[in-house]
Amino acid sequence: MVREHHEVIGRGHAEALMPALAAVMGGAHAQTIVVGVGPGSFTGIRVGIAAARALALAWGAALIGVSSLAALACAALRQDDAATQVVALLDAHKGEVYAQRFVREAAEARAASEIIAVAPAAVWTALACAPCAVIGSGVPLVVPGAGVAWPRAEDYLAAARDVRHHRAARPLYVRAPDAKLPA
């Protein structure tokens, strides 16, 4: 059974996570926990992973990390049976998007590129894909006027069913950190 609470909040992940989790789980324990490892909100990703690790330890549950881009690609291919390729895009801020190209392989999404941080105008060239189906919060930056989609619990579960999408439950960083140690 998949349980989900979906809310786009922007800030306040740490404060909202545990009450939402308690409400969704209703005292039940999970045997497997699938957690998004990024790329995405620095704080949100770290809070989610810390909570997932703690719950996996407390419940004796298996823990699977999945990229948010893989979850988006699974959603796109599920929503569009005709799509053979999809580019998952997340707003990376600072004038960039996180992007990764996926291809349909049987009923699954297979990564066909590495995850990159790139200027929106350079996505198609960098990923050698045009036109492709697109999905994610970075879509309006690449395709003006297009809508935004966020990955849902069922999308992470779909990605977790394919072992090729499994990642360690630690933050997935694409860019170097902004903070620098003093010289």
Side-chain angles (χ1 to χ4, degrees):
M1 173 188 313
V2 177
R3 296 181 182 189
E4 173 185 66
H5 171 86
H6 183 81
E7 182 179 2
V8 178
I9 61 173
R11 295 188 183 273
H13 297 95
E15 297 81 6
L17 179 60
M18 295 316 284
L21 184 64
V24 167
M25 294 305 294
H29 294 177
Q31 294 178 337
T32 302
I33 298 170
V34 179
V35 64
V37 297
S41 159
F42 178 83
T43 303
I45 295 296
R46 295 175 68 83
V47 166
I49 291 171
R53 282 181 175 173
L55 290 172
L57 181 63
W59 294 343
L63 181 59
I64 301 170
V66 172
S67 156
S68 49
L69 296 171
L72 280 166
C74 288
L77 293 178
R78 188 183 73 251
Q79 293 166 11
D80 183 355
D81 290 337
T84 58
Q85 296 187 74
V86 64
V87 172
L89 298 162
L90 290 173
D91 186 347
H93 303 289
K94 301 180 184 180
E96 291 183 322
V97 291
Y98 295 122
Q100 187 173 20
R101 183 170 59 94
F102 294 83
V103 295
R104 183 183 299 275
E105 190 171 272
E108 306 293 329
R110 179 181 57 80
S113 76
E114 295 297 318
I115 299 170
I116 58 173
V118 63
V123 166
W124 304 125
T125 302
L127 295 178
C129 181
C132 289
V134 291
I135 189 169
S137 65
V139 171
L141 301 171
V142 176
V143 182
V148 171
W150 299 96
R152 305 292 296 249
E154 64 186 312
D155 305 324
Y156 282 96
L157 182 59
R161 286 187 183 116
D162 186 340
V163 72
R164 293 174 296 188
H165 295 304
H166 288 198
R167 294 184 172 267
R170 62 176 180 258
L172 171 61
Y173 298 118
V174 178
R175 293 191 296 219
D178 293 333
K180 305 282 188 225
L181 292 174

